[in-house]
């Protein structure tokens, strides 16, 4: 009897894994969540949430149908469209690199989507179009406007961030929608993808009213395959959901720079997500000199963590929400930070690489796009890849492209230029430029504005048309060499980009989007013309017609006798004209 | 006589018992038949705001307040198609981001924390609206943007914006006329895409929009008659714009009193905004509607009351009943859609079909690596080979033909060749003589 039951159970287990997997249990998945609070050099505060759902399964090979922590909507998307990597970000605002420092992960204003497909995909453009439509439904964003007029295939930037054995760039597609608005309707489905939703863990802090009242709000979804373990013989799928928000402490904190979790999010953390294997809050308390402390954090952290992040050694106060000692004194955790002494200029450090872009010129016919890239490192030079995507209605004069550094012309080591085709594809310009130490490089290119057909204008054409931000990818030399760390143990914000050696770190920066006015017709013109024409015809032609065709008769007033006068009186009483 | 009457009282209780048992046996069967013949089984809502620009804040607030009521009364997001032509909540002019208020002094935030907008910004066009109604949408449209109604759906359609005598403006660049709208509803009727339809419009001269309807089972309400303007309610001095239109403001107040089990009927909705409050005269049209408005509950359109009855006994469906049902079922295009409409059974294991093992299925023995983010040497080498090919192409170009329309790729080749020439110092190449 017992044996039969055991046999039955074994059979059941065997049937369950019946697709030929080696393991008998369903694939393991785990969730790690963390929040990084870093005070920025300008006095603002950046909060970066990261939720990593990791799933030890190979989606492409097995017919998977049981989803636990990994959201089903995204899992089905990956297997149906044979996606190898997917990165989607929705951003409101702009990361000011010069005042806020180097970002951990920056995203351009609007919506950005870049996808690497598997090499089994035959028609990449068709899959790309369907994928962007599906994502527009999942995230309530207008990603269905992504089509061939704003999609490009970069050849050197956007190398895969996950495991890759083939890097044929024909499998990569990249598109940016700078006009896209981000609001609560995009945050709601993003929160629903989390295993604990916004009910437990760090996600309870994500309330829309506070998150959108900020200088910069960026939410992103990154899906990529990663090594399952140290030996890296099999693949796990990683879904990272990141949300970065920069609060302006001056306007929201009534002028004082002290902040707390409650002040920023109007909520405190009470428990970790029960499904999470790790749930931590990191507060950046690095200071330039050890003795003279800048910040004071309450409640006192139970542990500290030191790491080399973005090329510099930083110290973090760690609050582990899964440790029972944290909630001993009070049921909720409200991290507070006070400034012990005011920040002086020695603390503020300029970032090594930053850039800006602007459009110049006058009139509605021509103009010039200028990009300025600054390398503030005192003695190291490094190359940077610049990717520019310009819509087809700004016709670039590529022969006017000039790159000037320190007064001399700078020849790029690599150029890829794909000219635009009207109404079919945009300009793509990719250059690998060497930036000498302590220099500013200016790249200028002139353009001419095209006339659009009247049906191609948006309902508000006088707002202008957007040019997507340029992308700068560089391996910036670090101040402090980083040692190779175990990806499992290190915090999530250190393992965003796979690093090859510790002497430099990879950074991807975006410039501002540009707003350009195209020659816009007056859409009320047809109505005005009809009114004017009809008035002119009625007044001029009508008057002439009357003058030419009207004849005048002279009538003599006749004098009548008494009978006639009586008859006139009666007629007048009746209201009839007189004789 | 007495003998004949005596057995009758004895037979009566058995007769009664027999009747009761028969009734009991019939009751679930009856209920099933009733289910298939009754009014509606699901509810949909299509809420459209057609105005752009910050000063039309009130139209977005109108639509969101109806959205809020409809969600509160039970219609889920998957059954609501919400179209907002502009973003007011996260507009840079909004002093309180991520909020849209309907009452002044910021009493009620109708935007909420849980909103899902299906069509936004430039997607709200007449074409998309008509495609949503008639179901003729491109195949790659996601599910949340489709109106997947069937012949037993009650649909609520709410439109607001700027309108005139016989038309409604969409985003200040196009219009939809009452004739087009009536034809769209007729298409919906012929495709059996609705059981009953409630059309509410809050624009100037709104009654002109329902004048041309000719399909059955439509009830229409408008905020003003032809020749009258619908007025806005009250401005908020903190936000700087008018927050709501009068008609929808009083409709919202009326709907706040309704809960999923309330028995309020349509006649109460007709009385909602008298001329003293609304300044315009709201109108309604019920001649195309089969039922008496007295018997129509508000929750028939605004709520989603599900008729669920739990029974432990088996009910055998009459084959004739099955035929009756299948002749009307054209809402769900495939079984898959029907299955995905049901709540997901995430705890259920589905057995996979066995996969034939091939040698390729075995785990690869070599370790996988991450790609280098900026392989400078590789990029320069890539350029070199790419340039070599292109240089060869530049060499053999019939340059006398370039620049003419006969050579379609002339401009591209010219510019690429020019760029190569300008930067070809690193890779000196022998140029053809006619360069």
């Amino acid at each position: 009897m017992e044996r039969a039951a055991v046999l039955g159970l074994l059979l059941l287990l065997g049937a369950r894994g019946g697709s030929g997997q080696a393991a008998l249990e369903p694939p393991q998945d785990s969730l790690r969540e963390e929040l990084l609070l870093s005070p920025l050099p300008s006095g603002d505060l950046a909060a970066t949430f990261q939720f990593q759902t990791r799933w030890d399964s190979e989606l492409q090979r097995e017919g998977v149908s049981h989803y636990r922590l990994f959201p089903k909507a995204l899992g089905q998307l990956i297997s149906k469209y044979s996606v190898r990597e997917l990165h989607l970000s929705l951003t409101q605002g702009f990361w000011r690199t010069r005042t806020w420092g180097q970002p951990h992960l920056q995203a351009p204003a609007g919506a950005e989507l870049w996808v690497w497909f598997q090499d089994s995909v035959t028609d990449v453009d068709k899959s790309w179009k369907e994928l962007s439509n599906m994502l527009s439904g999942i995230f309530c964003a207008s990603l269905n406007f992504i089509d061939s007029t704003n999609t490009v295939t970069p050849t050197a930037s956007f190398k895969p961030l996950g495991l890759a054995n083939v890097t044929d760039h024909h499998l990569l597609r990249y598109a940016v929608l700078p006009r896209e608005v981000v609001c609560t309707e995009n945050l709601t489905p993003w929160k629903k993808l989390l295993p604990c939703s916004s009910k437990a863990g760090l996600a309870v802090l994500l309330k829309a009213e506070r998150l959108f009242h900020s200088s910069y709000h960026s939410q992103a979804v990154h899906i990529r395959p990663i090594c399952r373990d140290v030996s890296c013989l099999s693949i796990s799928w990683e879904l990272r959901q990141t949300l970065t928000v920069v609060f302006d402490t001056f306007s929201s904190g009534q002028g004082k720079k002290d902040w707390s979790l409650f002040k920023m999010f109007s909520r405190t953390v009470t428990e970790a997500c029960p499904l999470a294997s790790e749930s931590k809050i990191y507060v950046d308390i690095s200071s330039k000199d050890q003795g003279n402390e800048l910040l004071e954090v309450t409640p006192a952290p139970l542990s500290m963590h030191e790491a080399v992040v973005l090329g510099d050694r930083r110290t973090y106060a760690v609050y582990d929400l899964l440790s029972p000692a944290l909630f001993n004194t009070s049921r909720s955790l409200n991290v507070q930070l006070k400034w012990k002494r005011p920040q002086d200029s020695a603390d503020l450090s300029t970032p090594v690489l930053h850039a800006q872009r602007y459009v110049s010129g006058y009139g509605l016919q021509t103009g010039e796009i200028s990009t300025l890239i600054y390398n503030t490192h005192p003695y190291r030079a490094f190359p940077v890849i610049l990717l520019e995507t310009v819509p087809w209605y700004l016709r670039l004069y590529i022969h006017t492209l000039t790159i000037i550094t320190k007064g001399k012309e700078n020849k790029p080591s690599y150029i890829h230029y794909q000219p635009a085709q009207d109404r079919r594809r945009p300009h793509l310009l990719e250059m690998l430029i060497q930036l000498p130490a302590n220099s500013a490089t200016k790249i200028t290119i002139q353009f001419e504005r095209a006339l659009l057909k009247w049906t191609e204008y948006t309902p508000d054409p006088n707002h202008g048309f957007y040019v997507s931000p340029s992308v700068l990818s560089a391996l910036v030399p670090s101040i402090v060499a980083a040692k190779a760390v175990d990806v499992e143990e290190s915090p999530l914000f250190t393992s965003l980009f796979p690093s090859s050696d510790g002497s430099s770190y990879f950074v991807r920066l975006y410039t501002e989007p540009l707003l350009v006015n195209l020659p816009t017709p007056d859409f009320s013109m047809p109505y005005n013309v009809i009114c004017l024409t009809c008035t002119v015809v009625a007044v001029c032609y009508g008057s002439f017609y009357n003058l030419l065709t009207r004849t005048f008769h002279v009538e003599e007033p006749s004098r009548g006798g008494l009978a006639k006068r009586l008859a006139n009186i009666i007629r007048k009483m009746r209201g009839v004209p007189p004789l | 006589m007495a003998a004949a009457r005596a057995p009758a009282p004895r037979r009566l209780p058995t007769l009664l018992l027999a009747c009761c048992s028969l009734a009991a046996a019939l009751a679930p069967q009856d209920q099933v038949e009733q289910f298939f013949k009754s009014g509606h089984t699901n509810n949909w809502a299509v809420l459209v705001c057609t105005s752009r620009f910050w000063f039309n804040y009130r139209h977005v607030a109108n639509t969101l307040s109806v959205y809020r009521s409809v969600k509160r009364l039970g219609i889920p997001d998957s059954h609501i198609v919400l179209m907002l032509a502009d973003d007011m909540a996260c507009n840079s002019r909004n002093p309180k981001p991520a909020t849209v208020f309907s009452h002044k002094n910021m009493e009620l935030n109708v935007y909420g924390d849980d909103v899902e907008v299906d069509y936004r910004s430039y997607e709200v066009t007449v074409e998309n609206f008509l495609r949503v109604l008639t179901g003729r949408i491109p195949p790659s449209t996601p599910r949340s943007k489709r109106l997947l109604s069937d012949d037993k759906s009650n649909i609520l359609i709410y439109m607001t914006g700027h309108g005139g005598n016989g038309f409604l403006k969409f985003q200040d660049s196009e219009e939809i006329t009452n004739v087009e709208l009536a034809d769209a509803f007729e298409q919906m009727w012929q495709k059996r895409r609705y059981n009953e339809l409630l059309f509410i419009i809050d624009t100037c001269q709104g009654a002109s929009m329902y004048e041309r309807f000719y399909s059955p089972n439509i009830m229409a309400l408008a905020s003003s008659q032809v020749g009258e303007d619908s007025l806005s309610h009250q401005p908020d001095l903190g936000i700087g714009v008018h927050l709501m239109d009068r008609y929808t403001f009083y409709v919202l107040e009326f709907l706040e009193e309704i809960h999923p089990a309330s028995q309020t009927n349509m006649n109460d909705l007709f009385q909602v905004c008298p001329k003293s409050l609304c300044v315009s005269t709201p109108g309604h049209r019920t001649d195309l509607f089969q039922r008496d408005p007295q018997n129509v509950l508000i929750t028939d359109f605004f709520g989603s009351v599900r008729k669920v009855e739990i029974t432990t006994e088996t009910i055998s469906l009459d084959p004739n009943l099955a035929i009756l049902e299948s002749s009307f079922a054209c809402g769900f295009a495939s079984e898959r859609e029907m299955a995905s409409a049901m709540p997901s059974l995430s705890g259920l294991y589905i057995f996979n079909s066995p996969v034939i093992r091939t040698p390729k299925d075995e785990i690869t023995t070599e370790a996988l690596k991450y790609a280098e983010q900026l392989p400078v040497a590789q990029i320069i080498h890539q350029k070199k080979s790419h340039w070599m090919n292109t240089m060869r192409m530049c060499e053999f170009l019939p340059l006398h033909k370039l620049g003419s329309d006969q050579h379609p790729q002339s401009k591209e080749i010219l510019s690429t060749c020019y760029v190569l020439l300008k930067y070809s110092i690193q890779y000196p190449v022998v140029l053809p003589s006619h360069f």
Side-chain angles (χ1 to χ4, degrees), chain A residues 343-363:
Chain A
Q343 259 181 339
D344 53 6
S345 54
D347 293 326
L348 306 172
S349 55
T350 48
V352 179
L353 173 70
H354 59 99
Q356 70 178 104
R357 193 170 69 149
Y358 54 90
V359 73
S360 54
Y362 59 91

Side-chain angles (χ1 to χ4, degrees), chain B residues 136-334:
Chain B
R136 289 149 64 178
I137 24 188
S140 53
T141 318
R143 225 171 157 266
S144 57
K145 289 186 172 176
R146 293 182 190 227
L147 179 66
L148 297 166
S149 55
D150 55 13
D151 65 310
K152 293 260 181 254
S153 313
N154 273 11
I155 308 185
L156 164 73
I157 298 184
Y158 176 83
M159 301 184 74
T160 182
H162 288 288
N165 191 354
F167 67 91
L168 171 62
K169 250 197 337 179
F170 264 71
Q171 294 205 51
D172 210 17
S173 63
E174 47 183 1
E175 297 108 31
I176 184 172
T177 55
N178 47 7
V179 176
E180 279 176 2
L181 197 56
D183 287 341
F185 286 163
E186 177 64 14
Q187 276 193 51
M188 285 174 80
W189 173 251
Q190 292 196 359
K191 287 165 92 168
R192 295 291 181 268
R193 277 170 73 78
Y194 70 89
N195 175 42
E196 283 169 349
L197 202 136
L198 176 63
F199 176 75
I200 307 182
I201 184 160
D202 187 351
T203 61
C204 303
Q205 308 194 48
S208 62
M209 290 305 283
Y210 63 62
E211 272 173 2
R212 301 293 194 114
F213 291 167
Y214 55 94
S215 320
N217 288 352
I218 301 185
M219 192 189 309
L221 281 106
S223 61
S224 55
Q225 301 294 332
V226 174
E228 283 181 350
D229 285 337
S230 284
L231 302 179
S232 58
H233 187 64
Q234 38 174 233
D236 179 299
L237 298 175
I239 299 178
V241 283
H242 285 261
L243 294 181
M244 282 275 268
D245 277 333
R246 283 175 188 253
Y247 181 70
T248 313
F249 182 81
Y250 290 108
V251 167
L252 172 67
E253 284 201 349
F254 172 78
L255 289 174
E256 289 284 299
E257 316 273 311
I258 310 276
H259 55 91
S262 73
Q263 299 291 311
T264 334
N265 56 37
M266 278 296 166
N267 274 339
D268 302 322
L269 189 59
F270 295 157
Q271 319 297 336
V272 150
C273 201
K275 197 169 161 95
S276 54
L277 287 173
C278 252
V279 184
S280 57
T281 320
H284 55 92
R285 179 179 177 175
T286 51
D287 57 320
L288 295 165
F289 205 72
Q290 313 269 9
R291 300 192 280 158
D292 186 10
Q294 185 96 16
N295 303 331
V296 179
L297 300 176
I298 298 283
T299 50
D300 276 353
F301 288 103
F302 286 89
S304 180
V305 183
R306 307 216 164 214
K307 298 192 179 106
V308 176
E309 182 131 355
I310 302 179
T311 168
T312 48
E313 34 191 69
T314 339
I315 300 169
S316 55
L317 288 177
D318 194 7
N320 297 332
L321 209 65
I323 294 168
L324 187 77
E325 205 248 344
S326 67
S327 65
F328 282 129
C330 39
F332 290 114
S334 70

Side-chain angles (χ1 to χ4, degrees), chain A residues 482-518:
Chain A
K483 300 185 292 286
V485 283
D486 183 18
V487 180
E488 297 293 315
E489 301 304 311
S490 58
L492 289 170
F493 58 87
T494 53
S495 56
L496 277 170
F497 296 108
S499 55
S500 45
D501 58 12
S503 63
S504 57
Y505 60 95
F506 180 75
V507 77
R508 191 174 282 141
L509 290 182
Y510 295 87
T511 58
E512 304 92 331
L514 299 176
L515 189 59
V516 167
N517 262 318
L518 288 185

Side-chain angles (χ1 to χ4, degrees), chain A residues 7-19:
Chain A
L7 265 170
L9 198 68
L10 273 172
L11 269 171
L12 194 69
L13 283 171
R16 205 184 278 173
S19 65

Side-chain angles (χ1 to χ4, degrees), chain A residues 12 15-16 18-22 26 58 61 63-67 72 90 92 129-130 133-134 136-138 140-142 144-145 155-156 158-165 167 169 179-189 191-192 206-209 212-214 224-227 231-235 383-385 398-403 409-419 421 425 432 434 458-460 473-475 497-498 500 506 508, chain B residues 52-53 71 77 84 86-91 94-99 101 109 111-125 128 138-146 170-173 336 344-357 360-384 386-387 408-409 411-416 418-420 422-427:
Chain A
L12 194 69
R16 205 184 278 173
S19 65
Q21 285 167 248
E58 303 198 40
R61 282 153 38 143
V64 179
S65 46
H66 176 60
Y67 293 86
K72 183 172 172 187
L90 293 160
Q92 175 204 61
K129 181 91 188 128
E130 288 178 13
N133 275 318
M134 284 296 134
S136 83
I138 296 175
C140 292
S142 317
N144 47 322
F145 284 131
T155 54
F158 292 105
K159 296 274 182 212
L161 289 177
L163 294 171
N165 47 3
T167 53
H169 275 263
R179 188 73 203 266
E180 197 60 25
V181 172
V182 183
C183 210
T184 313
E185 64 247 24
N186 306 110
L187 185 65
T188 309
K191 283 198 287 193
K192 285 185 183 164
L206 300 173
K207 287 296 159 196
E209 281 178 17
F212 289 101
H213 199 51
S214 56
R224 59 177 180 165
I226 55 171
C227 295
S231 59
C232 213
L233 290 170
S234 46
I235 292 181
V384 68
I385 290 189
I398 197 72
H399 69 281
T400 58
L401 173 70
T402 51
I403 309 171
E409 207 181 330
N410 184 353
K411 293 238 183 273
S413 336
Y414 171 79
I415 282 195
H416 174 77
Y417 173 64
Q418 195 181 53
Q421 280 183 347
R425 66 168 195 229
L432 179 67
Q434 285 287 343
T458 54
D460 52 350
S473 322
L475 279 170
F497 296 108
S500 45
F506 180 75
R508 191 174 282 141
Chain B
R52 176 165 275 275
F53 305 122
K71 246 177 109 158
D77 269 314
L84 297 179
D86 201 359
D87 168 61
M88 299 301 168
C90 288
N91 197 314
N94 193 347
K96 286 216 148 231
T99 57
F101 292 108
N109 174 17
Y111 194 57
D113 216 15
D114 196 27
V115 61
E116 284 185 22
V117 182
D118 301 305
Y119 287 85
R120 34 185 226 160
S121 190
Y122 300 127
E123 295 176 287
V124 179
T125 57
N128 281 345
S140 53
T141 318
R143 225 171 157 266
S144 57
K145 289 186 172 176
R146 293 182 190 227
F170 264 71
Q171 294 205 51
D172 210 17
S173 63
R336 181 177 51 85
S344 63
L345 309 157
S346 57
L348 207 66
Y349 278 89
I350 301 173
F351 296 132
N352 302 316
S353 56
V355 163
I356 301 164
R357 252 187 194 276
K360 272 197 229 159
D361 276 346
E362 258 126 39
I363 300 166
T364 52
T365 44
E366 49 175 79
L368 304 153
K369 309 194 289 298
Y370 290 101
E372 245 191 273
Q373 288 303 300
L374 201 73
V376 177
Q378 193 192 78
I379 291 170
I380 296 181
H381 174 79
Q382 178 186 345
K383 174 198 96 159
K384 191 174 171 181
H386 160 75
W387 277 16
Q409 288 164 333
K411 266 195 215 152
E412 176 171 354
I413 295 170
L414 257 179
S415 49
T416 322
Y418 184 86
V419 165
L420 283 175
K422 196 172 174 202
Y423 292 106
S424 68
I425 288 188
Q426 257 184 306
Y427 301 99

